Amino acid sequence: MAERQLIQQVNMNGRICMLAIARGCITEVGTPDLVIRPGDSVWNANGLLLLPAFRDAHVHLDKAFPSERWISRTPVSSLFEQFQLEKELLAGCKEQRKELAIRTLEAMLASGTTEARVHVDIDPDLGLSHLELMLQLKEEYASRMAIELVAFPQQGLLRSQSIPYIKEALRMGADLVGGVDPAGVDRHVDRSLETIFELATEFDKRIDLHLHDPGHLAVYTIEKMLDYSMDAKMHGKVTVSHAYGLGEVDSGLVAELGSRMAGEAMDLVTSAPFDTAMPPVSLLAGQGVKISLATDHTGLDAWTPYGHPDILRRGRLLAEKYIWNDDVRMASVFEWMSRGSLELEAGDAADFVLVRALNAPHALAALPRRQLVCKAGIPVAGSLWQGNSGTAVWKDISERSEWPDEYNR
């Protein structure tokens, strides 16, 4: 086994350097002529740009449809009709659930995602079958992707009488307590939130709540979440996903709410939807709210035919939506879809993506093919990856792809 893995000629945010990796971490970021020690393994990146590996903060692995056939979706007039439509459509894919989830995971990895928060449907009809599958995949993919699981009562925690199932899911190993629209779905904001926070406290878990409710109802719900978070001493352990309604109210009100969210370290996840309002993320980030980006949908599913597993593509959609066409704002998108800065330092986990691009804004605009995706310093996906695993994998990788279809616009 090599003492260190050295990667030569890496473009690190505009400067060419050499990386030294050992035991899954960056140990040194040096000049191109960093001294090579006896026993070091060396691989030449030939100027490929390094980006921090991506994190998908909200994805559903149990909702995909087969890609080889079109499954028609019909218009619905309410969220409850959508719930029923999804159940009916997914019932026909039951036997392919694992195959479809693996296909999605491999596509996410190929696009550079090495960390994901997965929401798993749980209700009296499904029981814990989806969670059992996701726990299995979490273990199988542990060396390639860090997965955390949210016990998600899609049909409503109270409405579907799913409390005992959520409790069992948390006992089995789900990492977070989920929820959906305490007002619009459960029809009782306080009782729904009280139950969610009681479950989180009892099992020492974090919370991630889907919030689709509109306008001032969304504001009210988040205010109540903040109250419950403070009472339960859950500072930094609560996430609100979507929060579309914050894009429908006065910016001054959002700024005031954002200040409270930052004070309680309540973060917000958005998929940058194009078909509905979305929270003003720049304003909220300016107030100190941690923003995370997500795909939500990874392909054709019951909710949309426009999903895609590539979080970098989703980042570009966000930048296009806000007409961010300058370097600073384009580069800032990477802060919302990764845990690392654009420049890795000694001590950082060696989780990164190598692409052929001039800089981060260029990568966001061009969506280059992911040449290598690395977790803990070991390639786990990408067009140059040979499908092998282990610390010796670098020696099997050719240096730099010359495929003509480099950019996947």
Side-chain angles (χ1 to χ4, degrees):
M1 182 184 298
E3 177 184 340
R4 297 184 303 175
Q5 176 64 52
L6 301 185
I7 305 179
Q8 296 176 315
Q9 297 295 312
V10 175
N11 178 354
M12 178 87 77
N13 198 27
R15 63 189 176 98
I16 299 299
C17 60
M18 184 187 289
L19 295 183
I21 300 170
R23 296 178 296 279
C25 291
I26 304 292
T27 59
E28 192 169 353
V29 179
T31 59
D33 56 354
L34 180 71
V35 175
I36 299 175
R37 304 171 186 165
D40 285 345
S41 176
V42 182
W43 187 81
N44 195 329
N46 284 310
L48 291 174
L49 175 71
L50 181 146
L51 297 171
F54 304 141
R55 173 179 182 255
D56 193 333
H58 184 120
V59 63
H60 298 267
L61 290 179
D62 56 356
K63 297 180 183 292
F65 290 162
S67 59
E68 61 273 11
R69 62 189 176 94
W70 182 260
I71 296 182
S72 297
R73 302 157 63 252
T74 56
V76 297
S77 58
S78 71
L79 190 61
F80 299 112
E81 284 188 23
Q82 180 64 45
F83 289 162
Q84 185 58 37
L85 173 66
E86 180 180 60
K87 270 188 170 293
E88 293 170 358
L89 292 176
L90 285 178
C93 308
K94 182 178 179 181
E95 301 305 317
Q96 297 174 273
R97 188 60 42 220
K98 183 174 183 179
E99 172 194 341
L100 295 172
I102 288 175
R103 185 183 301 176
T104 300
L105 281 169
E106 291 294 339
M108 291 169 66
L109 277 163
S111 72
T113 297
T114 62
E115 184 177 353
R117 177 175 290 183
V118 177
H119 293 255
V120 187
D121 278 16
I122 292 169
D123 64 43
D125 293 333
L126 297 174
L128 299 164
S129 58
H130 286 207
L131 179 66
E132 290 167 353
L133 171 58
M134 295 305 153
L135 285 168
Q136 178 184 348
L137 291 176
K138 177 178 179 176
E139 181 177 355
E140 290 177 4
Y141 276 79
S143 64
R144 301 174 67 196
M145 182 184 293
I147 296 174
E148 55 182 4
L149 302 176
V150 183
F152 176 47
Q154 168 79 84
Q155 309 292 319
L157 180 64
L158 304 181
R159 176 177 175 269
S160 65
Q161 300 180 338
S162 292
I163 295 171
Y165 297 92
I166 297 297
K167 285 186 174 183
E168 185 57 28
L170 299 173
R171 293 188 189 100
M172 289 172 61
D175 303 289
L176 293 94
V177 181
V180 59
D181 297 340
V185 174
D186 271 344
R187 302 296 175 90
H188 199 303
V189 176
D190 279 295
R191 190 152 60 91
S192 180
L193 289 177
E194 182 178 338
T195 304
I196 290 170
F197 277 86
E198 284 177 350
L199 287 168
T201 300
E202 179 181 352
F203 291 92
D204 191 24
K205 303 289 185 177
R206 292 162 291 149
I207 291 170
D208 192 332
L209 179 88
H210 283 62
L211 184 59
H212 311 102
D213 284 334
H216 289 277
L217 184 54
V219 173
Y220 174 76
T221 301
I222 294 174
E223 288 174 339
K224 297 296 291 186
M225 290 176 68
L226 288 163
D227 292 341
Y228 278 101
S229 179
M230 292 178 67
D231 290 344
K233 294 180 173 55
M234 289 191 63
H235 179 92
K237 295 183 178 181
V238 181
T239 298
V240 57
S241 287
H242 305 318
Y244 305 131
L246 298 189
E248 301 171 333
V249 297
D250 179 75
S251 60
L253 181 58
V254 176
E256 182 180 338
L257 183 65
S259 180
R260 280 197 66 193
M261 291 173 67
E264 190 57 21
M266 177 186 290
D267 58 338
L268 183 143
V269 173
T270 182
S271 60
F274 59 85
D275 56 353
T276 186
M278 69 170 282
V281 289
S282 288
L283 187 157
L284 289 164
Q287 296 298 114
V289 178
K290 178 187 173 185
I291 306 294
S292 295
L293 196 57
T295 58
D296 193 7
H297 310 279
T298 57
L300 170 66
D301 63 23
W303 297 80
T304 178
Y306 301 115
H308 199 282
D310 187 352
I311 192 71
L312 184 60
R313 182 184 293 263
R314 185 60 56 169
R316 190 178 79 168
L317 177 63
L318 176 71
E320 288 181 309
K321 187 180 183 76
Y322 284 107
I323 321 177
W324 291 349
N325 50 21
D326 60 275
D327 285 5
V328 173
R329 288 185 296 178
M330 291 176 73
S332 72
V333 175
F334 289 88
E335 299 174 15
W336 298 350
M337 55 187 182
S338 72
R339 288 193 181 274
S341 73
L342 291 175
E343 293 199 28
L344 296 185
E345 300 176 348
D348 289 342
D351 300 340
F352 56 86
V353 183
L354 294 175
V355 300
R356 189 183 305 166
L358 301 174
N359 50 39
H362 182 210
L364 186 70
L367 300 181
R369 186 180 300 278
R370 309 316 116 85
Q371 302 282 358
L372 280 178
V373 180
C374 299
K375 180 170 176 57
I378 299 174
V380 295
S383 59
L384 292 177
W385 186 53
Q386 302 298 309
N388 303 321
S389 60
T391 54
V393 69
W394 285 99
K395 67 181 177 59
D396 298 325
I397 297 173
S398 59
E399 294 180 354
R400 190 166 178 168
S401 165
E402 296 296 344
W403 291 9
D405 55 338
E406 186 66 36
Y407 301 112
N408 288 337
R409 291 182 182 276

